[in-house]
């Protein structure tokens, strides 16, 4: 059953209680209930916990975003651990009234015997370090191999980050996503989270620490994730964290991660300049890297930094590159340098965001030469808020009409 269309419909506790009777469907194995933006409170959450009695239910998604669920409701929902067949659970409690006690209760989902995939969204609640510490006990879930924990807009600091680093001890964990956007995590917390490198089976990791207080020291610590033996997919969001060239230089050492083939690094709205850009260009040396996404918008990269980043053309295995240099004082010289990415032998997908820069006609003409890239089949180019003019636009239109690849140019 997929009940995706009950959001924002004035459903309250009585409606939630009625829906809990779906537990009586004898063959029901997959259920999605979207009750976001309603008036479901603790009593409704308590009723929905009775879905644990559905005998065949193995996949359950409960979207309770923007309701009135508090600690008592979260405590009730933790009883879903008793569902005999449940192996995949998504519980969205974003923008409710769950605090540390509720988070502590939800950590008891570790007792679910078959649970292997768990997503908990507790964004915009009142979870602090104690709650984060409790949630780290999900490391004890014996079957859990994929875990997404979203704690954005809470009050998690370094102590909470330190506790969450203990998830490295989860015996079966291979995929982990920790979203700590807009909390109070600093360098010490980032250092603690770097210890996730010790998770023996972890191959896919996402850490979202945007809008915290992670600086160069924290970025340096996170570079130690290069030591994770099985890590092949890494996403680090560090937007607006006062990371400068020293931090960027440290993060470039992730090129030494032995298994890394897919890397996303968001350093938007930091203080990365030419030196940091040059360091990041050394990711070209990552031996197995085939997909790279670098978000460097609103930094101080400039033409020299763009020139340095063009050296990513030398990455031997890199076939997919996304480079966001929006708002970085890049002019014609930088655009001309970036056009040299056409020389990348394996590149088949390229996205360049040069919006809000100073690219003129000369730069636009140079970028139009990307049509000469031998393997390129998909090109996306953003040049809004530049000075390409009519002649530059005319040159860029040659890309859009090229018969060999799909092209999307916005200027």
């Amino acid at each position: 059953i997929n009940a995706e269309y009950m959001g924002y419909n004035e459903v309250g506790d009585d409606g939630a209680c009625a829906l809990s009777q779906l537990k009586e469907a004898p063959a029901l194995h997959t259920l999605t209930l979207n009750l976001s933006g309603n008036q479901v409170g603790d009593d409704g959450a308590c009723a929905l916990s009775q879905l644990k009695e559905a005998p065949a239910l193995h996949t359950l998604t409960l979207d309770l975003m923007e309701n009135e669920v508090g600690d008592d409701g979260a405590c009730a929902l933790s009883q879903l651990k008793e569902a005999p067949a449940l192996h995949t659970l998504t519980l969205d409690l974003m923008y409710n009234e769950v605090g540390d006690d509720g988070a502590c209760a939800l950590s008891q989902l570790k007792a679910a015997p078959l649970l292997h995939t768990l997503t908990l969204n507790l964004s915009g609640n009142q979870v602090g370090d104690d709650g984060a510490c409790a949630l780290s006990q999900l490391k004890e879930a014996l079957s859990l191999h994929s875990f997404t924990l979203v704690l954005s807009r809470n009050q998690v600091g370094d102590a909470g980050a330190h506790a969450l680093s203990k998830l490295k001890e989860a015996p079966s964990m291979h995929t982990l996503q920790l979203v700590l956007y807009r909390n109070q995590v600093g360098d010490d917390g980032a250092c603690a989270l770097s210890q996730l490198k010790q998770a023996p089976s972890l191959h896919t990791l996402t850490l979202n620490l945007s809008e915290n207080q992670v600086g160069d020291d924290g970025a340096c610590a996170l570079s130690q994730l290069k030591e994770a033996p099985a890590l092949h997919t890494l996403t680090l969001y560090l937007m607006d964290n006062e990371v400068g060239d020293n931090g960027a230089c440290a993060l470039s050492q992730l090129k030494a991660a032995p298994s890394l083939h897919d890397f996303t690094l968001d350093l938007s709205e930091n203080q990365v300049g030419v030196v940091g850009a040059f360091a990041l260009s050394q990711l070209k040396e990552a031996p197995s890297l085939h997909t790279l996404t670098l978000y460097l918008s609103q930094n101080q990269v400039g033409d020299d930094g763009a020139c340095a980043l063009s050296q990513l053309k030398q990455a031997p295995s890199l076939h997919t590159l996304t480079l966001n240099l929006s708002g970085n004082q890049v002019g014609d010289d930088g655009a001309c340098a970036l056009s040299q990415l056409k020389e990348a032998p394996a590149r088949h997908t390229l996205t360049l965001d040069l919006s809000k820069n100073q690219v003129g006609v000369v730069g636009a003409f140079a970028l139009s030469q990307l049509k000469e890239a031998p393997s390129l089949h998909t090109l996306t180019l953003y040049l809004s808020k530049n000075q390409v003019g009519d002649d530059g636009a005319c040159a860029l239109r040659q890309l859009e009409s090229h018969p060999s690849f799909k092209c999307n140019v916005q200027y």
Side-chain angles (χ1 to χ4, degrees):
I1 296 177
N2 186 352
E4 283 279 6
Y5 304 107
M6 291 187 293
Y8 301 93
N9 264 295
E10 302 181 5
V11 178
D13 288 336
D14 289 343
C17 185
L19 289 166
S20 72
Q21 297 309 302
L22 289 166
K23 68 185 181 182
E24 298 176 5
L28 183 66
H29 61 69
T30 301
L31 173 62
T32 297
L33 287 179
N34 184 342
L35 292 169
S36 58
N38 281 284
Q39 293 95 45
V40 178
D42 288 340
D43 289 344
C46 185
L48 289 169
S49 72
Q50 298 309 304
L51 291 166
K52 68 185 180 183
E53 299 174 12
L57 189 66
H58 62 63
T59 301
L60 175 61
T61 298
L62 289 179
D63 187 345
L64 294 169
M65 181 181 72
E66 293 186 42
N67 278 277
E68 299 157 11
V69 179
D71 287 336
D72 289 343
C75 185
L77 289 167
S78 72
Q79 297 308 303
L80 290 165
K81 68 186 179 183
E82 299 174 7
L86 190 67
H87 62 62
T88 301
L89 174 62
T90 298
L91 187 55
D92 190 342
L93 290 168
M94 183 177 181
Y95 295 132
N96 278 274
E97 298 153 15
V98 180
D100 288 338
D101 289 344
C104 185
L106 289 169
S107 72
Q108 297 309 302
L109 290 167
K110 68 185 181 184
L114 302 180
L115 190 66
H116 62 63
T117 302
L118 174 61
T119 299
L120 286 179
N121 188 345
L122 293 169
S123 291
N125 281 276
Q126 296 93 44
V127 180
D129 286 336
D130 289 343
C133 186
L135 290 165
S136 72
Q137 296 308 303
L138 286 159
K139 69 185 181 182
E140 299 174 9
L142 296 180
S143 301
L144 191 64
H145 61 63
S146 299
F147 183 30
T148 296
L149 178 60
V150 186
L151 289 171
S152 300
R153 295 183 173 92
N154 280 280
Q155 296 92 44
V156 179
D158 287 340
H162 190 275
L164 291 169
S165 73
K166 300 300 183 183
L167 290 167
K168 68 186 180 184
E169 300 170 10
S172 303
M173 189 85 70
H174 62 62
T175 300
L176 176 62
Q177 179 169 299
L178 287 179
V179 182
L180 294 168
Y181 167 79
R182 198 175 287 183
N183 278 275
Q184 294 98 43
V185 179
D187 289 334
D188 289 343
C191 185
L193 290 168
S194 72
Q195 297 309 300
L196 291 166
K197 68 184 181 183
Q198 297 175 9
S201 302
L202 190 67
H203 62 62
T204 301
L205 174 62
T206 297
L207 284 180
N208 188 334
L209 293 169
S210 292
E211 295 192 30
N212 280 274
Q213 294 93 45
V214 177
D216 285 339
D217 289 343
C220 185
L222 290 169
S223 72
Q224 297 308 304
L225 290 166
K226 67 186 180 185
E227 299 173 11
L231 191 65
H232 62 61
T233 302
L234 175 61
T235 301
L236 291 178
Y237 293 108
L238 294 170
M239 182 185 74
D240 193 10
N241 265 288
E242 301 180 6
V243 177
D245 286 337
N246 289 337
C249 288
L251 290 166
S252 72
Q253 295 308 304
L254 287 161
K255 67 185 181 183
S259 303
L260 190 65
H261 62 62
D262 191 331
F263 183 31
T264 296
L265 177 60
D266 186 351
L267 288 172
S268 302
E269 299 179 34
N270 280 283
Q271 292 98 45
V272 179
V274 176
V275 173
F278 178 81
L280 291 170
S281 73
Q282 300 310 299
L283 289 166
K284 67 186 181 183
E285 300 174 5
S288 302
L289 191 66
H290 63 62
T291 301
L292 175 62
T293 300
L294 289 179
Y295 296 116
L296 294 169
S297 63
Q298 305 300 319
N299 279 276
Q300 298 94 43
V301 171
D303 285 335
D304 289 342
C307 184
L309 289 165
S310 71
Q311 296 309 300
L312 289 165
K313 68 185 180 182
Q314 298 174 9
S317 303
L318 193 65
H319 61 62
T320 301
L321 173 63
T322 297
L323 187 56
N324 187 334
L325 293 173
S326 174
N328 266 282
Q329 303 93 48
V330 177
D332 285 340
D333 289 344
C336 289
L338 290 168
S339 72
Q340 299 307 305
L341 290 167
K342 68 186 179 184
E343 300 173 9
R347 187 90 71 253
H348 62 61
T349 302
L350 175 62
T351 299
L352 285 179
D353 189 343
L354 295 172
S355 58
K356 299 180 184 178
N357 279 285
Q358 294 94 45
V359 179
V361 176
V362 172
F365 181 81
L367 291 168
S368 73
Q369 301 308 301
L370 288 166
K371 65 187 178 185
E372 300 174 2
S375 302
L376 194 65
H377 63 59
T378 303
L379 173 65
T380 303
L381 188 57
Y382 298 100
L383 284 166
S384 62
K385 297 186 179 179
N386 281 274
Q387 299 93 42
V388 299
D390 290 340
D391 290 342
C394 183
L396 292 167
R397 276 196 291 273
Q398 298 176 29
L399 289 169
E400 296 177 309
S401 60
H402 197 278
S404 299
F405 58 81
K406 178 181 178 181
C407 181
N408 179 19
V409 182
Q410 299 183 23
Y411 47 85

